[in-house]
Amino acid sequence: MEYVDILGGRESTKFAEFRRLLVTAFLALRKHADNVCLLVEMMIKDSPLPCLGGGPATVAALRERFHLALSESQIEELVNTMLVSSCDNITTRMYDAFQYYSNGIL
């Protein structure tokens, strides 16, 4: 069962609340983008983690994900678009199937 189903579907009030909270959280996180990027930058040095192996390019890519040049209304539209596109994403379904068959997690 998907999280969207637990919320009562895309047209439910709970999903609308989730959508609103997701936008609010993203906007709040953007306010701390410099600190988050600084922490990642400090973690990169001598890190054995492959996800941090890109060095400065990793921090630059992370900073881009905050979409700092967009207005709050543009961010709301962006987050809503990402949420809708993720709901029926085939790779999400494939990953869920992998988790189910390999680990018994659904």
Side-chain angles (χ1 to χ4, degrees):
M1 176 173 279
E2 290 188 32
Y3 187 68
V4 174
D5 295 330
I6 293 170
L7 293 174
R10 292 185 201 176
E11 303 303 319
S12 72
T13 56
K14 289 292 183 188
F15 186 78
E17 180 182 6
F18 172 74
R19 181 188 304 248
R20 181 185 58 77
L21 290 171
L22 189 63
V23 170
T24 300
F26 191 84
L27 288 170
L29 187 59
R30 272 177 27 133
K31 292 177 183 176
H32 302 284
D34 289 335
N35 289 335
V36 171
C37 289
L38 183 60
L39 286 171
V40 171
E41 196 172 341
M42 289 187 293
M43 291 170 32
I44 285 175
K45 185 172 172 29
D46 301 324
S47 175
L49 300 173
C51 61
L52 298 177
T58 300
V59 178
L62 174 61
R63 186 173 303 281
E64 285 179 20
R65 288 179 174 223
F66 286 109
H67 300 279
L68 296 172
L70 298 182
S71 68
E72 287 193 9
S73 61
Q74 290 172 315
I75 287 296
E76 183 174 355
E77 185 177 327
L78 173 70
V79 171
N80 285 325
T81 299
M82 289 191 297
L83 178 59
V84 168
S85 70
S86 70
C87 286
D88 290 323
N89 191 299
I90 187 68
T91 56
T92 301
R93 290 176 187 242
M94 290 171 60
Y95 181 75
D96 289 345
F98 169 77
Q99 287 293 331
Y100 176 74
Y101 290 115
S102 65
N103 300 314
I105 300 170
L106 183 59

